Amino acid sequence: MTDLVDLDWENLGFDYMELPYRYRAHYKDGQWHKAGLTEDATIAINEGSPVFHYGQAAFEGLKAYRCKDGSINLFRPDQNAARLQRSCQRLLMPEVPTEMFIGALKQVVKANEAYVPPYGSGGTLYLRPNIIGVGPNIGVHPASEYIFTVFAMPVGNYFKGGLQPTNFLAANYDRAAHKGTGQSKVGGNYAASLLPGAEAKKQGFSDCIYLDPLEHKKIEEVGSANFFGITNDNKFVTPSSPSILPSITKYSLLYLAKERLGMETEETDIYLDDLDHLVEAGACGTAAVISPIGGFQIGDKLHVFYSETKVGPVTKKLYDELTGIQFGDKKAPEGWIVKV
Ligand SMILES: Cc1ncc(COP(=O)(O)O)c(C=O)c1O
């Protein structure tokens, strides 16, 4: 095992850090060229690049986990590859083949191995694959050239509380339209979420929870994570909607709740006026992992699911199961773990 650099591993936040190496590939004339690692953290591109004007940009987020024996796990990277391919289809960008995508992740993790947090610290190496449309252009049409990059940084908790519940605010804005780009992990969705997120944080909330863009009657998702609830008859429920990001963590929890905890599960509508049947609720995602939702502010009413200070028992069990698999302590379902 490579010696680690000297960082305060137990207290990492979720901040950019420039690591020694990143992966870069250039797409031109119908194919990917010049792929490999580089030490250059900057990208110089033409001022007409569609990424600047028309948001032709898609990305992914996943993590590398240090196991007890020092080895390193990737969690379901094939699912991130597939989701990036779907995002690319939506924005008329060339797809990054799964093998190239996973190969790039492995190269970046290996080259920056000294920054993969130690087992037991709670930290992970966050990986950010990113594809942008570049080159001289001015009309609203897709780029003829693209850059695919993967960079990395060690991270800790995304929401301040970790497994401590935090409060969320029902958004007055939409981040994605009903048949828009909510299902794709594309830059524009996040640009649209900056103001609502900032307003929520200014009022002391962790983030906002978006409501269905048609009527604002149902829960959609958190700005950077999906929503789940546990019903009073022990069912795992999570919103079904065309405008939310299909979270890989959420689909993993749907599987684990059913197969490991023996629960019923359902992707369904979760109405604001029917929240009393949820006895626990949380935000789930790669960065958020599982973050319990304590209170949910809807207008002038604060709805508390389980507790504003304690994590619920089912949420905790799901957290232990998921993180146990990610860090290699529990047996993973077939194909979920890829060793670096
Ligand atoms: C808007 C949004 N929803 C949900 C998620 C969670 O998805 P995943 O579990 O694949 O990380 C993310 C983060 O990746 C996100 O940005």
Side-chain angles (χ1 to χ4, degrees):
M1 192 173 123
T2 316
D3 285 343
L4 297 188
V5 292
D6 191 17
L7 287 176
D8 184 4
W9 300 111
E10 271 79 23
N11 295 301
L12 294 168
F14 198 89
D15 298 306
Y16 178 81
M17 186 186 294
E18 188 178 318
L19 299 201
Y21 297 100
R22 69 278 303 128
Y23 177 95
R24 215 49 64 75
H26 194 193
Y27 183 94
K28 196 177 174 185
D29 301 327
Q31 52 181 311
W32 290 104
H33 304 269
K34 285 200 296 188
L37 295 175
T38 167
E39 291 178 52
D40 188 357
T42 59
I43 299 177
I45 54 176
N46 186 276
E47 62 196 354
S49 293
V51 62
F52 288 144
H53 312 275
Y54 309 126
Q56 203 187 15
F59 66 100
E60 274 302 323
L62 71 163
K63 287 172 170 173
Y65 304 81
R66 176 84 68 182
C67 303
K68 213 180 251 171
D69 64 2
S71 66
I72 300 171
N73 284 350
L74 295 174
F75 181 71
R76 311 191 75 181
D78 57 323
Q79 299 298 308
N80 295 90
R83 189 169 63 190
L84 185 62
Q85 287 157 6
R86 294 195 302 272
S87 299
C88 287
Q89 288 163 12
R90 182 67 177 82
L91 295 196
L92 293 181
M93 302 201 280
E95 291 174 27
V96 178
T98 303
E99 206 176 311
M100 173 175 158
F101 181 89
I102 296 177
L105 300 174
K106 287 185 178 176
Q107 286 185 52
V108 172
V109 176
K110 276 190 195 146
N112 297 295
E113 197 191 330
Y115 292 83
V116 181
Y119 173 83
S121 65
T124 52
L125 188 76
Y126 185 76
L127 291 152
R128 170 52 59 84
N130 193 1
I131 174 169
I132 55 174
V134 302
N137 189 78
I138 196 62
V140 183
H141 49 75
S144 52
E145 294 178 34
Y146 295 85
I147 292 172
F148 172 61
T149 166
V150 179
F151 60 99
M153 72 217 64
V155 298
N157 289 334
Y158 186 76
F159 293 122
K160 266 202 315 289
L163 256 189
Q164 273 294 109
T166 56
N167 289 357
F168 289 77
L169 175 70
N172 265 326
Y173 301 89
D174 301 319
R175 70 187 285 282
H178 180 59
K179 291 188 180 174
T181 53
Q183 281 203 351
S184 310
K185 202 161 169 69
V186 301
N189 296 342
Y190 296 82
S193 76
L194 293 176
L195 175 67
E199 288 186 1
K201 281 167 202 142
K202 205 165 145 198
Q203 293 175 58
F205 297 97
S206 274
D207 200 348
C208 38
I209 292 180
Y210 292 91
L211 307 178
D212 73 280
L214 289 180
E215 295 189 299
H216 277 208
K217 287 188 174 163
K218 297 181 273 189
I219 289 184
E220 287 257 296
E221 67 173 327
V222 181
S224 52
N226 275 182
F227 177 92
F228 70 88
I230 310 298
T231 64
N232 49 17
D233 57 355
N234 202 38
K235 195 192 263 187
F236 179 99
V237 290
T238 182
S240 149
S241 160
S243 44
I244 66 179
L245 191 76
S247 154
I248 294 157
T249 314
K250 188 261 296 285
Y251 285 111
S252 305
L253 293 179
L254 277 164
Y255 178 89
L256 295 175
K258 188 162 181 224
E259 301 298 329
R260 300 260 169 115
L261 305 189
M263 299 171 69
E264 264 188 71
T265 61
E266 192 178 14
E267 287 182 271
T268 183
D269 291 333
I270 300 182
Y271 284 93
L272 287 186
D273 60 11
D274 187 27
L275 294 181
D276 286 341
H277 75 301
L278 298 182
V279 292
E280 297 181 36
C284 65
T286 298
V289 194
I290 293 183
S291 300
I293 298 173
F296 178 29
Q297 186 79 38
I298 310 162
D300 54 11
K301 183 175 166 266
L302 184 74
H303 180 91
V304 176
F305 290 101
Y306 179 74
S307 154
E308 279 186 87
T309 52
K310 286 196 279 289
V311 56
V314 181
T315 304
K316 176 72 170 70
K317 271 191 217 156
L318 287 167
Y319 178 89
D320 289 343
E321 199 61 41
L322 176 71
T323 56
I325 290 168
Q326 292 170 328
F327 286 101
D329 295 327
K330 296 201 175 202
K331 190 172 163 21
E334 182 72 29
W336 280 22
I337 294 296
V338 172
K339 283 280 176 200
V340 172

